[in-house]
Amino acid sequence: MRILIVEDELKMASYLRKGLMEASFRVDTAFDGKEGLFLALQEDYDLIVLDVMLPELDGLAVLRRLRAQKRTPVLLLTARDTVEDKVVGLESGADDYLAKPFAYAEFLARIRALLRRPLQSVDTVLAVGDMEIDLLRRRVRRGAARIELTAQEFALLKLLAERQGEVLTRAFVTSQVWDMNFDSDTNVVDVAIKRLRAKIDNPFEKKLLHTVRGMGYVMEERA
Ligand code: CA
């Protein structure tokens, strides 16, 4: 398995490279966006680890240009961790996202998960019942109706749709969408779910977002 690391911080690049080589990957490194894009297009990597803040060409620009030609899985690294950044990253075609600082074990786990994913499941359109969620264009429709969502509503919908059929607890949703861990005030999730529901479910006969009393929420098509 060949991995390309595009990271301008030399210490970080060599740390990641060393770790991946110990895990038996073949690793190339590029230290700016232009070089990274060149290698990514020129060579056939199984995965690319791409930092967002890069000289010459930033990571998101690299990603957009890469996506115009290739589907190589990309794990995006960034210093910031906000819903907006995640959405922008995923919109640009990243397959996963890791905010710095991160534990090396988590980095390796994400890489392994991405490599296990069959290419067709890196699909950019998720479907639940008659709802289609286009992750690249950030468009949602149910049947012929286009649904407009805020960035946060979209992040919430994406999480639920990616794990359709699974009951997600409020605490889990909070940690994934808001990057917070709190057990006491999970009301924020209920409020967000209510807003999302008003857009994706209320106008339609068939409901896709269900409350599981005492547990959380699940998205699925029910007969
Ligand atoms: Ca950087």
Side-chain angles (χ1 to χ4, degrees):
M1 291 276 197
R2 291 184 72 195
I3 296 182
L4 172 66
I5 298 174
V6 190
E7 164 66 277
D8 60 311
E9 290 154 58
L10 299 184
K11 259 183 144 173
M12 175 68 119
S14 91
Y15 168 72
L16 296 178
R17 177 166 194 263
K18 195 163 164 271
L20 288 175
M21 286 174 73
E22 278 167 15
S24 303
F25 292 104
R26 287 165 58 199
V27 183
D28 287 345
T29 30
F31 303 104
D32 66 61
K34 266 191 184 162
E35 189 193 1
L37 180 63
F38 174 80
L39 283 173
L41 292 175
Q42 189 80 8
E43 306 288 324
D44 276 320
Y45 294 101
D46 296 291
L47 187 135
I48 298 168
V49 176
L50 181 61
D51 188 36
V52 170
M53 305 288 280
L54 289 169
E56 301 295 331
L57 199 59
D58 72 52
L60 293 177
V62 171
L63 188 53
R64 281 188 209 105
R65 294 192 199 181
L66 174 71
R67 280 290 172 263
Q69 300 187 41
K70 278 181 150 180
R71 268 296 341 159
T72 316
V74 169
L75 173 63
L76 208 58
L77 302 182
T78 168
R80 292 173 301 171
D81 191 8
T82 65
V83 171
E84 286 70 27
D85 281 1
K86 277 184 191 172
V87 170
V88 169
L90 295 171
E91 256 187 340
S92 311
D95 299 278
D96 202 358
Y97 176 104
L98 198 53
K100 293 176 184 172
F102 49 80
Y104 181 75
E106 168 150 34
F107 169 76
L108 191 59
R110 299 280 186 105
I111 288 203
R112 292 209 156 115
L114 282 175
L115 290 172
R116 269 198 307 270
R117 239 193 239 180
L119 262 187
Q120 57 269 33
S121 82
V122 190
D123 267 358
T124 55
V125 179
L126 295 173
V128 184
D130 65 347
M131 182 166 60
E132 275 188 12
I133 305 158
D134 185 330
L135 300 178
L136 279 185
R137 291 169 194 82
R138 234 182 91 203
R139 284 190 193 142
V140 180
R141 30 176 84 248
R142 278 198 69 171
R146 169 102 181 258
I147 301 169
E148 299 289 341
L149 298 179
T150 64
Q152 195 174 68
E153 288 161 353
F154 187 84
L156 178 58
L157 176 63
K158 179 174 176 286
L159 177 71
L160 286 155
E162 278 176 337
R163 293 167 177 262
Q164 58 183 291
E166 271 180 59
V167 179
L168 306 185
T169 64
R170 289 173 175 81
F172 177 76
V173 171
T174 308
S175 71
Q176 295 294 305
V177 178
W178 285 269
D179 281 302
M180 291 185 276
N181 286 301
F182 51 87
D183 313 311
S184 50
D185 184 17
T186 45
N187 186 40
V188 61
V189 178
D190 296 335
V191 171
I193 290 275
K194 195 176 169 194
R195 284 206 203 105
L196 181 61
R197 220 172 224 158
K199 292 183 177 179
I200 64 156
D201 262 355
N202 293 0
F204 304 92
E205 196 184 335
K206 196 158 198 180
K207 309 304 176 199
L208 298 173
L209 179 48
H210 312 278
T211 303
V212 182
R213 203 172 288 271
M215 293 182 72
Y217 297 98
V218 62
M219 174 156 278
E220 65 187 354
E221 186 180 24
R222 290 181 176 171

